[in-house]
Amino acid sequence: MFLWAILFLSCIPNYTFSQSKITISGTVRAGVSGENLVGVAVQIPALQSGTSTNTYGFYSLSVPPGTHTVVYSYIGYQTQRREITVTQNTKLNIELPVTAQELGEVLIEAGSLQEKLKTSQMSVDQLSVREAKLLPALFGEVDILKTLQLKPGIQSGGEGSAGLYVRGGGPDQNLFLLDEATVYNASHLFGFFSIFNSDAVRSVDLYKGGFPAQFGGRLSSVVDVKLKEGNNKRFAASGGLGLIASRLTLEGPLKKNKGSFIISGRRTYVDVFTGLVNKINKDNPEYNPIPGYYFYDLNAKVNYDIGPNDRLYLSGYLGDDLIGFRNSGFNFDFNWGNRAGTLRWNHIFNPRLFANTSVTASSYRYNIKNSLEGFSFDLTSNIKDLSFKSDFDYVPGNAHSFKFGVQAVKHTFDVGRLKAGSEDNTIAFSSGSSFTGVEYGVYAADDYNPTPNFTLNYGLRFSGFTNGKSNFNGLEPRVSARYALSENTSLKGSYTRMLQYIHLVSNSGASLPTDIWYPSNNTVRPQRSQQVALGISQLAGKGKYLITNEVYYKWMANQVDFRNGAQLFVNNNLDQEFLFGRGRSYGNEIYLEKKEGRTTGWVGYTLSWTYRQFAEINEGRWFPNRYDRRHDISIVGLHQLSPRLHLTGTWVYGTGNAFSVPVSRIILQGQTGNNESFVPIYTERNAYRQAAYHRLDLGLVYKLRPKRGESDLTFSVYNAYNRRNPYFVYFEQLKDQSDELTIGFRGRQVSLFPVIPSVTYNFKF
């Protein structure tokens, strides 16, 4: 039935509209590289009509027969005008040259402020990779997720964390997509860096509300990362040398103007230095060797035009973190990483119907191995996905733009696979569980523009999940609307319902490599959320500034927590450790952005409340979530001092994380009067706050003048005024003068990063 619907729609346009309307369609690409450009404004001013290119650079615009001037505009590129006389459906492919001041650099920018004002979509943050590269970074390593944390409504888990906590949601409630393949752990180095190599990334969109109908499976956000396609005009190379890592990217045409490739790799070399230190001290009996650690990732992508209406893409990701330790018969190895691959086919059925079909495979796994004096221990867990999706864009006219499709994912879970025993096999045991689940979805949505002042996007998603004899499904309605109060002011609103069928099993508030993904079943029910948002957007300063103010309320059901003392690893009855409750989050987000001129940047402020309620916790009363943050401020500035010199800076402030503190302790005395032990007594859950978090980072980018290509030196200072921000708090015992009796306890704060200067050399030719 679905196939018949596609064939029917592919025939409709040439019949129904041929008498009154003609379609101009095509693809818009970057002139310097041939890459597709997303979100290009395509307008016919005389008709007061227009559209924008979709995720794959395709556009479709209906016009009456005659002569028209079509205008193509995109930030960072020269505006192009084409006068065209049409008497029948016409294909018009366009390549946009970069602006004069950006010659030699391929820019894939977020949409203009004018487009953000006019779209019905709200609660979306679009990240410019160029801006991310200019901002100061820890150890000089550009991190896309940390840049997203500078946007309102998006919080970090704390110092050094690459996790995202979006509008009161947890780290498992974010869907990370890398070229449409799901990524389950987006962090390197225990969360200090993300897996996304900025040299390989084309665009980043984060949806925190008003989710389009094609996305599902998570409650709080979707992070949609698209890789670059490669230069189909000429060969190019770029890279960088930093304090802890180096990068190299190669790209070029498979066949000029027909196909291209890109390969991008990154590796840290901390293990090289620690290995040298260990080697120097190997004869010192008092020396404790330093464990070796490094991470690497590799992105690769090829694409090829196999015909005027067909294009194939193949992309892949490979990344691992590895820790190794060898000493006196004790061996320890810990590694974790992601694999992801996407095969994609773009097909244009006719000027009004575009299709993208993808097959993706992804996996995340961790493995811990150690051995001591003939005894070995091996613990591993993983999740594997194999998915199929097909999305269609159908544009019957300028007033409607339909999107519909189907998706299916097969999940395979291996939870806590343990093998242990002696070398002589006299001792041997194993444990672990395996599950298989199928998640599916069907959706349809319409972007409806009845008048220039009113835009409505409405859609419906039906999703489901099967796991053995457990079956779940539900409807997920989506609606967002925009009404123009004036030429420079828009009022927006949205409502979204989301379902999440898989859950992250974690014994920590942070996202750790050893966290386990677990499927819904008759005991562990799917998580649910509903969110409403209302906002106003206004252009000011002759269109140079965009000011938005959004208020939101989100309520959640079947939120997951764990019993006190829960055994989360090597437990074949993990279902019994779960607790289920409710959540709610609400707040106000204010955002000021400037994208053009010598000085650009943004200011964001979030005022929010986040609570949870579990019958078995806190006597059933509502309590603040750990990442309930009343105030969150970010100020980001980028200033071009000269064509060769950029000054950048960020300042962030956040209310301290909520945490639980024992208000007293009961002393338990051993039988001999010695061996005191203390039982902590808690009252309210998360009733106390860590100290507020704030930090200033500064950066300076100096462009060099090499004989060939371009290069720069990027200087950055992380935590410029050396603020000792809290990482965690612990309690130490206070002893009397004899150092025998405990007389009290004192809380101590552990801080992670002092002021850290760094320098990175970047090159491109």
Side-chain angles (χ1 to χ4, degrees):
M1 181 63 71
F2 192 73
L3 179 59
W4 281 111
I6 297 168
L7 294 174
F8 177 70
L9 287 172
S10 69
C11 297
I12 283 179
N14 293 322
Y15 175 77
T16 306
F17 298 95
S18 60
Q19 302 302 317
S20 58
K21 290 288 186 179
I22 290 171
T23 301
I24 300 174
S25 63
T27 301
V28 182
R29 297 179 178 176
V32 70
S33 67
E35 288 195 279
N36 292 333
L37 294 179
V38 182
V40 176
V42 184
Q43 298 174 318
I44 300 180
L47 300 178
Q48 294 186 338
S49 64
T51 186
S52 60
T53 57
N54 68 7
T55 307
Y56 314 101
F58 176 79
Y59 74 95
S60 178
L61 193 61
S62 295
V63 299
T67 300
H68 305 282
T69 299
V70 188
V71 180
Y72 302 83
S73 59
Y74 195 60
I75 188 169
Y77 289 79
Q78 298 179 29
T79 298
Q80 298 291 294
R81 290 173 171 82
R82 294 289 188 272
E83 186 173 298
I84 181 172
T85 300
V86 292
T87 58
Q88 59 183 359
N89 291 341
T90 302
K91 178 179 288 187
L92 185 57
N93 295 329
I94 294 293
E95 290 190 349
L96 296 184
V98 296
T99 55
Q101 63 266 31
E102 301 292 352
L103 287 176
E105 182 178 3
V106 179
L107 299 179
I108 306 296
E109 294 279 11
S112 69
L113 300 183
Q114 188 68 236
E115 289 302 309
K116 290 184 178 182
L117 178 74
K118 291 182 177 181
T119 180
S120 62
Q121 186 67 56
M122 64 184 303
S123 306
V124 177
D125 286 302
Q126 297 171 314
L127 177 62
S128 162
V129 176
R130 183 183 64 158
E131 287 177 337
K133 288 184 175 182
L134 289 174
L135 294 179
L138 178 63
F139 297 114
E141 190 64 23
V142 175
D143 194 317
I144 287 173
L145 293 190
K146 282 187 171 55
T147 306
L148 285 175
Q149 291 169 2
L150 298 173
K151 302 288 187 174
I154 306 169
Q155 300 174 5
S156 69
E159 179 78 292
S161 172
L164 298 180
Y165 296 80
V166 181
R167 288 186 172 177
D172 65 323
Q173 295 175 353
N174 307 306
L175 176 63
F176 291 98
L177 298 173
L178 182 62
D179 261 6
E180 303 182 12
T182 303
V183 175
Y184 283 96
N185 188 311
S187 300
H188 283 306
L189 191 57
F190 300 98
F192 295 134
F193 300 104
S194 77
I195 67 167
F196 303 114
N197 182 350
S198 60
D199 286 353
V201 170
R202 182 185 68 169
S203 63
V204 182
D205 294 323
L206 185 145
Y207 301 86
K208 56 189 177 184
F211 300 96
Q214 66 265 32
F215 296 121
R218 300 293 188 276
L219 300 189
S220 292
S221 79
V222 177
V223 182
D224 189 15
V225 180
K226 292 288 193 299
L227 295 176
K228 291 179 179 178
E229 297 171 0
N231 195 317
N232 68 17
K233 307 286 188 180
R234 61 182 178 86
F235 178 82
S238 61
L241 300 173
L243 291 181
I244 67 167
S246 291
R247 317 178 314 274
L248 179 64
T249 300
L250 303 175
E251 57 182 314
L254 295 172
K255 183 178 180 181
K256 191 171 182 179
N257 296 323
K258 291 282 290 182
S260 60
F261 75 90
I262 183 170
I263 301 174
S264 186
R266 178 175 59 160
R267 191 193 191 279
T268 58
Y269 29 72
V270 177
D271 59 312
V272 176
F273 299 114
T274 57
L276 290 174
V277 174
N278 290 339
K279 186 175 181 180
I280 293 172
N281 292 276
K282 66 178 182 179
D283 296 326
N284 182 357
E286 302 298 324
Y287 176 73
N288 292 317
I290 305 172
Y293 169 81
Y294 69 92
F295 72 75
Y296 72 90
D297 45 42
L298 178 68
N299 293 275
K301 188 172 184 177
V302 296
N303 69 89
Y304 198 82
D305 287 336
I306 58 176
N309 296 321
D310 297 277
R311 197 176 193 187
L312 287 178
Y313 299 82
L314 178 64
S315 60
Y317 171 85
L318 170 67
D320 281 303
D321 288 62
L322 300 100
I323 298 175
F325 183 77
R326 304 285 186 276
N327 187 37
S328 302
F330 175 71
N331 296 331
F332 174 80
D333 291 287
F334 182 18
N335 61 81
W336 66 96
N338 297 275
R339 308 286 187 271
T342 302
L343 176 62
R344 196 171 80 228
W345 169 40
N346 285 174
H347 177 66
I348 301 173
F349 285 95
N350 60 53
R352 292 189 176 94
L353 183 61
F354 175 93
N356 176 72
T357 301
S358 302
V359 176
T360 69
S362 63
S363 69
Y364 171 73
R365 59 101 185 93
Y366 75 82
N367 180 253
I368 301 174
K369 294 181 179 180
N370 62 38
S371 60
L372 176 64
E373 297 179 353
F375 188 84
S376 63
F377 172 96
D378 189 316
L379 176 64
T380 185
S381 285
N382 65 59
I383 178 172
K384 298 178 182 178
D385 282 358
L386 181 62
S387 71
F388 169 84
K389 65 189 291 280
S390 196
D391 301 306
F392 297 86
D393 291 271
Y394 174 59
V395 187
N398 295 336
H400 291 275
S401 179
F402 293 103
K403 194 173 186 68
F404 57 95
V406 295
Q407 302 168 355
V409 185
K410 179 183 178 182
H411 301 287
T412 303
F413 305 84
D414 285 325
V415 181
R417 287 287 180 187
L418 172 65
K419 294 181 180 180
S422 59
E423 291 182 356
D424 58 8
N425 293 322
T426 56
I427 302 175
F429 58 90
S430 62
S431 180
S433 305
S434 293
F435 307 95
T436 299
V438 176
E439 185 175 353
Y440 55 88
V442 180
Y443 74 91
D446 178 24
D447 201 2
Y448 179 43
N449 299 270
T451 70
N453 293 332
F454 181 66
T455 303
L456 176 67
N457 186 292
Y458 58 97
L460 183 64
R461 179 183 181 87
F462 175 78
S463 65
F465 183 82
T466 63
N467 172 21
K469 296 182 180 180
S470 302
N471 294 277
F472 307 95
N473 56 65
L475 293 175
E476 303 177 45
R478 319 283 173 85
V479 61
S480 60
R482 163 201 169 257
Y483 182 76
L485 300 175
S486 68
E487 183 180 356
N488 294 320
T489 305
S490 291
L491 184 67
K492 299 183 180 183
S494 68
Y495 167 79
T496 303
R497 185 175 190 266
M498 305 289 281
L499 293 171
Q500 180 168 332
Y501 298 103
I502 62 175
H503 318 274
L504 191 66
V505 179
S506 173
N507 63 352
S508 168
S511 181
L512 297 176
T514 52
D515 293 344
I516 299 168
W517 287 91
Y518 199 78
S520 293
N521 55 35
N522 289 333
T523 302
V524 184
R525 315 292 286 186
Q527 301 179 57
R528 304 192 308 270
S529 76
Q530 298 181 81
Q531 182 180 169
V532 293
L534 182 66
I536 187 168
S537 301
Q538 183 171 19
L539 282 176
K542 297 182 180 180
K544 294 181 179 180
Y545 301 89
L546 178 66
I547 305 170
T548 64
N549 187 6
E550 288 188 19
V551 294
Y552 68 91
Y553 191 98
K554 179 164 66 175
W555 56 102
M556 297 166 279
N558 293 340
Q559 297 301 283
V560 175
D561 208 320
F562 304 98
R563 304 183 187 280
N564 293 330
Q567 174 59 43
L568 302 183
F569 301 102
V570 196
N571 184 350
N572 291 338
N573 297 306
L574 197 57
D575 293 1
Q576 307 306 313
E577 308 292 351
F578 286 81
L579 299 176
F580 303 96
R582 298 186 295 165
R584 66 188 182 201
S585 179
Y586 50 91
N588 186 18
E589 299 169 3
I590 301 173
Y591 186 58
L592 170 65
E593 182 179 19
K594 183 175 184 288
K595 292 186 70 68
E596 300 182 54
R598 294 181 61 184
T599 301
T600 60
W602 65 85
V603 177
Y605 170 67
T606 303
L607 173 68
S608 63
W609 290 261
T610 301
Y611 297 100
R612 296 289 188 271
Q613 183 187 49
F614 295 85
E616 300 87 346
I617 298 175
N618 208 46
E619 298 180 349
R621 298 190 299 271
W622 288 93
F623 60 89
N625 192 31
R626 179 182 178 187
Y627 298 105
D628 170 60
R629 188 170 298 173
R630 197 68 63 244
H631 305 284
D632 194 89
I633 304 171
S634 60
I635 301 173
V636 177
L638 302 94
H639 180 68
Q640 185 179 5
L641 295 170
S642 71
R644 298 179 61 191
L645 200 60
H646 287 79
L647 178 65
T648 64
T650 63
W651 184 78
V652 295
Y653 173 90
T655 301
N657 289 338
F659 72 122
S660 301
V661 175
V663 296
S664 61
R665 297 174 190 265
I666 298 176
I667 302 176
L668 298 180
Q669 201 76 29
Q671 293 182 352
T672 62
N674 300 327
N675 303 321
E676 300 171 315
S677 62
F678 298 87
V679 179
I681 304 299
Y682 294 87
T683 55
E684 296 287 327
R685 169 73 72 97
N686 292 342
Y688 295 86
R689 294 277 178 177
Q690 294 180 351
Y693 183 98
H694 53 90
R695 190 188 78 241
L696 173 68
D697 303 333
L698 298 173
L700 186 68
V701 180
Y702 180 67
K703 293 189 177 182
L704 304 175
R705 291 177 174 172
K707 293 182 179 180
R708 184 184 177 190
E710 55 190 85
S711 62
D712 67 65
L713 287 173
T714 299
F715 303 91
S716 64
V717 180
Y718 183 89
N719 195 9
Y721 53 77
N722 200 30
R723 163 73 175 177
R724 304 314 297 266
N725 285 300
Y727 186 51
F728 64 85
V729 174
Y730 72 95
F731 291 86
E732 66 175 4
Q733 295 186 25
L734 301 178
K735 297 289 187 177
D736 63 1
Q737 293 182 349
S738 66
D739 199 32
E740 293 182 357
L741 296 177
T742 300
I743 59 175
F745 290 83
R746 177 172 57 190
R748 301 296 297 269
Q749 173 183 296
V750 175
S751 299
L752 199 59
F753 297 122
V755 55
I756 299 177
S758 62
V759 60
T760 304
Y761 170 70
N762 301 295
F763 62 88
K764 183 176 183 179
F765 62 87

